[in-house]
Amino acid sequence: MLIGLYEGFISSPLKLDALPFSSSGQGGSKDGLQVLTLEEVQKHNSEESAWIIVGDKVYDVTDFLHMHPGGADIILRHAGKDVDEIFSSIHSPTVLKMLRPDQCVGMINVKELPSRQGDIEEQARIKRAREAIPPVAAMVNLYDFEEIAKKVLSNTAWAYYSSAAEDEASHANNLNSFKRYWFRPRVKLREVKRMRAVADIDMKTSILGVDTALPIFVSPAALAGLGHPEGEVNITRGAGKAGIIQGISSNASRTIEDIAAARIDGQALFFQLYINKDRKESERIIRQIDDLGFKGIMLTVDAPVLGKRERDIRNRPPVSDDETPGGKRGVSANLDSFFEINLQWADVAWLKGITSLPIVIKGIQTVEDVELAIEHGADAVYLSCHGGRQLDYAPAAMDVLWELRQRRPECFAKAEIYIDGGVRRGSDVVKALALGAKAVGLGRPFLYANGTYGERGVKRAIEILEEEIATTMRLVGARSLSELVPDMVQRDDVAFVALRDRQ
């Protein structure tokens, strides 16, 4: 995993036996370091000698090739190149500070790097957009954050966050799925002939015994650092102050320690786990999150390989036919090399055998697999199609939730059920809760909120959801989450078609 990188850098000093350089590869010295040319760096692109450019420094990472948790291929794919953008988006700013000075082999003039030429124009565009950004209080709904994000994020960040698999049909279906479900609001209590008093409502609940102020949580989403240097730390701070739970991605931009340190007293974090091909690495991570006081594990099962995310891929066009072995490009290409492709149900038992933390199985997409997940010991089942980023034409979680309620309502008593995917309104949350979901997750909206306004954006996004959930509960006649029942929601495909055609 990416979070294992730091230990690898420290525990094995990098070899510098490529030095001294010939005079043809040098351009003088600066701050005691040799100034290298791009041509010199490009020669070091093999297992025998692998260099990378980060910022204005050049690092020899040869000895780290076979210790990298994601495998040597990730580094070799970028060896001899300027990796500043992708490195900075994936890794914590503290990583390079942890290296010894002699692990840096030289400096480079960034003005001479072709890969940085586009940065100047893009930075000017972003600066202009940032200067024109409205105050965060002007954000009325979650869509507003997305509109601002289109303008102020880097092309790389926008392509990665907004991308979905292939034709992006599943992503579009996620957004549309909530429009298929309409309310049946109640204005009277069943037991007495009077209107419901909804001045005071209670939105508190718990997730696997962990109290939360609202029935929402932050879905684990990779690389929040693409949108803001503080990355997941901003989201942790905002979620903590609002009293909601955050799921931490295995591919977070910041270290687990950074994120854990940003918690307020009593704040709960859950960790999203992709089981590593090297089980010992997974065990190490589990021990680490256990020691840091995480409250649960979200075992992700819908990503044996990553889906084809074409917006992300197109943002990094190849320069030559030889540049991208296996056709892997984009930010996503760097994320799945450590994934266990042969994940089995028996791995749930293995996981439960090495930790006492509750296990949430994330990425379930059929009623049949809900039953299997419960049968194999899941403490909770997380309905999700990965934001439409994995299998295109996979079902929306909201539709699976509806089907589960119709076909296997007894499952709701056997395990907590969560969903995410396409949630943009408090009314979406209320619909899912009425059908039996214990809590509802949001991913992209928090990435956009963080990428536009940082911690302030995260807090405002939660405020918007809280306001909308409260309003919807009052209007459907529910004073607490326990009063949200399946009878309050009906599926209406005719109304959905009419609404879609009007739009």
Side-chain angles (χ1 to χ4, degrees):
M1 289 186 181
L2 296 168
I3 50 182
L5 179 149
Y6 319 116
E7 290 83 352
F9 263 127
I10 296 170
S11 62
S12 182
L14 303 181
K15 289 182 179 177
L16 303 178
D17 53 10
L19 298 176
F21 307 125
S22 65
S23 59
S24 62
Q26 299 180 38
S29 64
K30 182 180 180 182
D31 298 331
L33 292 172
Q34 301 181 68
V35 178
L36 307 173
T37 64
L38 178 59
E39 290 73 19
E40 176 66 32
V41 176
Q42 288 173 331
K43 296 174 185 176
H44 300 270
N45 61 358
S46 67
E47 290 191 37
E48 289 70 36
S49 182
W51 293 2
I52 59 172
I53 302 170
V54 181
D56 63 352
K57 302 289 195 308
V58 180
Y59 300 91
D60 183 339
V61 293
T62 309
D63 278 3
F64 190 60
L65 287 174
H66 299 289
M67 294 186 299
H68 191 274
D73 182 61
I74 283 183
I75 298 178
L76 289 174
R77 204 182 303 152
H78 296 93
K81 298 176 184 176
D82 176 19
V83 300
D84 183 68
E85 184 179 36
I86 185 63
F87 185 94
S88 300
S89 66
I90 291 176
H91 303 112
S92 168
T94 61
V95 174
L96 295 177
K97 295 179 182 178
M98 297 164 69
L99 300 179
R100 297 192 320 272
D102 62 350
Q103 291 176 303
C104 175
V105 298
M107 299 186 70
I108 197 161
N109 184 354
V110 296
K111 293 181 180 179
E112 296 178 359
L113 296 174
S115 53
R116 305 286 180 95
Q117 298 308 306
D119 290 353
I120 298 173
E121 292 182 7
E122 183 169 25
Q123 287 169 9
R125 171 189 67 79
I126 292 172
K127 184 175 183 293
R128 291 192 300 271
R130 290 281 180 187
E131 290 171 348
I133 197 170
V136 68
M139 300 297 100
V140 176
N141 59 43
L142 297 188
Y143 293 105
D144 290 344
F145 289 105
E146 185 170 351
E147 288 301 312
I148 299 295
K150 287 180 186 178
K151 301 173 184 176
V152 305
L153 292 181
S154 68
N155 291 332
T156 297
W158 175 252
Y160 178 71
Y161 289 165
S162 65
S163 65
E166 298 182 359
D167 297 327
E168 302 190 348
S170 280
H171 177 43
N173 188 46
N174 280 348
L175 294 167
N176 282 326
S177 64
F178 291 92
K179 298 174 184 176
R180 289 191 277 273
Y181 299 92
W182 293 63
F183 289 114
R184 299 181 66 250
R186 301 300 306 274
V187 298
K188 289 185 178 180
L189 290 166
R190 289 187 177 90
E191 62 271 18
V192 295
K193 296 180 179 179
R194 61 178 173 82
M195 297 285 188
R196 291 184 182 231
V198 292
D200 298 317
I201 60 171
D202 183 3
M203 293 180 281
K204 296 189 295 295
T205 187
S206 64
I207 296 176
L208 290 175
V210 178
D211 291 337
T212 175
L214 297 168
I216 59 172
F217 60 91
V218 180
S219 297
L223 305 184
L226 280 173
H228 192 287
E230 289 292 298
E232 292 77 12
V233 167
N234 277 337
I235 301 176
T236 301
R237 291 169 180 154
K241 291 172 183 176
I244 69 169
I245 293 169
Q246 178 187 8
I248 306 300
S249 170
S250 288
N251 290 317
S253 300
R254 300 298 297 266
T255 67
I256 293 179
E257 294 90 345
D258 288 343
I259 295 167
R263 290 175 296 186
I264 63 173
D265 288 344
Q267 182 177 351
L269 300 175
F270 280 57
F271 185 76
Q272 177 211 27
L273 179 70
Y274 292 100
I275 289 184
N276 198 301
K277 287 179 285 191
D278 179 356
R279 291 296 198 274
K280 291 182 179 178
E281 179 61 20
S282 289
E283 290 180 17
R284 185 191 68 77
I285 296 300
I286 292 166
R287 286 195 302 271
Q288 186 179 22
I289 63 172
D290 231 334
D291 291 343
L292 289 170
F294 278 61
K295 299 300 184 183
I297 293 173
M298 295 176 170
L299 173 62
T300 299
V301 298
D302 63 349
V305 296
L306 290 187
K308 186 184 179 187
R309 304 169 187 180
E310 295 184 3
R311 288 199 210 191
D312 183 33
I313 293 170
R314 292 183 190 281
N315 187 59
R316 291 177 175 269
V319 176
S320 70
D321 289 340
D322 299 326
E323 186 174 323
T324 53
K328 299 189 79 172
R329 298 201 311 274
V331 175
S332 301
N334 301 286
L335 301 181
D336 68 341
S337 58
F338 64 86
F339 293 2
E340 172 57 83
I341 196 170
N342 294 316
L343 200 63
Q344 302 179 49
W345 285 112
D347 290 315
V348 179
W350 168 81
L351 187 57
K352 292 178 78 70
I354 62 174
T355 181
S356 60
L357 291 173
I359 306 300
V360 181
I361 298 186
K362 178 181 183 293
I364 297 298
Q365 299 170 72
T366 64
V367 170
E368 292 82 358
D369 280 350
V370 172
E371 293 181 292
L372 281 170
I374 294 171
E375 178 185 325
H376 285 87
D379 298 292
V381 178
Y382 190 156
L383 306 180
S384 174
C385 67
H386 219 103
R389 294 162 73 82
Q390 285 297 103
L391 175 66
D392 204 11
Y393 298 94
M398 184 62 178
D399 290 334
V400 179
L401 180 69
W402 170 262
E403 185 183 359
L404 184 65
R405 171 56 63 186
Q406 306 309 306
R407 292 178 52 199
R408 296 289 186 273
E410 65 275 11
C411 287
F412 292 93
K414 297 178 180 179
E416 293 185 0
I417 307 293
Y418 318 132
I419 77 164
D420 72 9
V423 180
R424 296 296 184 273
R425 290 285 188 181
S427 57
D428 297 340
V429 174
V430 173
K431 291 173 186 178
L433 297 174
L435 289 177
K438 181 72 170 180
V440 176
L442 297 92
R444 283 188 183 91
F446 285 119
L447 292 176
Y448 294 142
N450 175 61
T452 49
Y453 295 94
E455 181 186 340
R456 293 180 302 133
V458 174
K459 290 167 61 179
R460 179 60 188 144
I462 297 171
E463 289 170 359
I464 289 169
L465 286 165
E466 181 177 12
E467 294 162 3
E468 292 183 352
I469 293 169
T471 297
T472 305
M473 286 180 63
R474 288 187 172 103
L475 293 177
V476 300
R479 298 162 299 183
S480 66
L481 301 184
S482 63
E483 291 187 351
L484 292 170
V485 294
D487 286 349
M488 290 179 169
V489 175
Q490 62 184 347
R491 179 164 177 145
D492 193 333
D493 291 317
V494 174
F496 165 69
V497 171
L499 180 64
R500 182 193 62 193
D501 290 348
R502 191 186 70 181
Q503 295 175 334

